[in-house]
Amino acid sequence: MPEKKTMKRARADVRRGKSKGTAAGEFVREEMHHIREGKHGARSTKQAIAIGLSKARRAGFNPGQPRGASARVRKQAARDTAAAKHPHEVSATRSRATRTALKREPHRAASHKALSRHAKRVAPQATRTRRAHARKHASR
């Protein structure tokens, strides 16, 4: 369950007219914070981001379908989005199992160095068209 602070920040982003993706970024930020404070770990930076985006989708802030992802990942994203429409009580057993598994993972996935490395690696994926679109959206 996301923290109240995160939900508040995400709602504020949407109110300011920012995209759902930006609002979803607040959940990723929360995830990085959790890893840094030692609540749990993640195998990679990519996994840490995926956990945050999944939380965002389940909270109703859908950042859209992941581009270039496998069918399995797209299906899971759709499932997370659908889960936001029909909230239900979460299984304590499953939550505990997930937390225990994540606690065994390393904490370096959220380090400044790892985030920088990840950003540099994914930067070339941002096409000229997408950058232009982002600039237009920002100027509005």
Side-chain angles (χ1 to χ4, degrees):
M1 190 70 207
E3 294 171 4
K4 280 184 182 177
K5 229 180 352 189
T6 305
M7 291 292 286
K8 197 174 176 182
R9 275 202 200 101
R11 282 195 200 101
D13 282 348
V14 173
R15 255 197 322 275
R16 286 190 194 104
K18 293 182 181 180
S19 71
K20 291 264 178 104
T22 304
E26 291 298 335
F27 292 87
V28 176
R29 184 174 179 267
E30 178 192 59
E31 212 50 46
M32 294 301 168
H33 183 69
H34 284 178
I35 294 170
R36 282 180 186 154
E37 69 183 0
K39 210 173 213 179
H40 61 76
R43 196 156 291 191
S44 65
T45 307
K46 201 173 186 178
Q47 184 191 28
I49 293 167
I51 293 168
L53 290 176
S54 176
K55 264 188 183 179
R57 285 188 181 97
R58 286 172 170 275
F61 297 92
N62 184 16
Q65 286 292 338
R67 277 185 218 86
S70 65
R72 182 177 173 220
V73 171
R74 283 197 306 271
K75 199 173 182 180
Q76 184 58 49
R79 202 176 292 137
D80 286 341
T81 305
K85 292 178 180 130
H86 305 286
H88 64 282
E89 200 167 315
V90 181
S91 161
T93 312
R94 180 174 284 202
S95 293
R96 193 167 46 250
T98 306
R99 199 176 318 115
T100 307
L102 282 173
K103 276 185 176 181
R104 286 194 298 265
E105 298 299 336
H107 297 260
R108 61 179 171 262
S111 69
H112 293 290
K113 193 175 178 181
L115 287 173
S116 172
R117 200 182 308 125
H118 177 78
K120 283 176 184 168
R121 195 170 288 158
V122 298
Q125 291 174 11
T127 61
R128 195 173 173 184
T129 314
R130 272 179 43 203
R131 282 197 303 271
H133 176 77
R135 280 195 302 271
K136 274 182 193 167
H137 185 78
S139 67
R140 265 188 248 132

